[in-house]
Amino acid sequence: HGIHDVTVVTASEAALTRLSKGETFDVILCDLMMPEITGEEFYAELKILNPEQASRVAFMTGGVFSPGVQKFLDGISNPRLDKPFDQKGLLKFLAGN
């Protein structure tokens, strides 16, 4: 297993602020359902602020999709990590992305 530096940000606006200031990450794990904004809204904003980092977003989901969310996921090439997952599953996912 590789060693990963992990940065945890619990508010989407704080994450967008950091990314807009030029912070970069190999992978950005983003839940589709969040309290402040949706993962789709986060992604749309990030595409404006930092398109290269938007390509590094991997969406986490519990698998329940509205038709709009399914259409969004079908229209992007970003990877998806299905919940629930454990550490082994996360490391395997990261190794492939």
Side-chain angles (χ1 to χ4, degrees), residues 76-88:
I76 60 172
S77 60
N78 297 60
R80 187 177 84 204
L81 177 61
D82 293 321
K83 295 188 277 184
F85 55 86
D86 58 15
Q87 182 180 7
K88 183 178 178 180

Side-chain angles (χ1 to χ4, degrees), residues 32 59 61 65 68-78 80:
L32 281 169
F59 291 98
T61 177
F65 307 123
V69 170
Q70 187 62 57
K71 183 177 178 182
F72 166 69
L73 289 173
D74 290 345
I76 60 172
S77 60
N78 297 60
R80 187 177 84 204

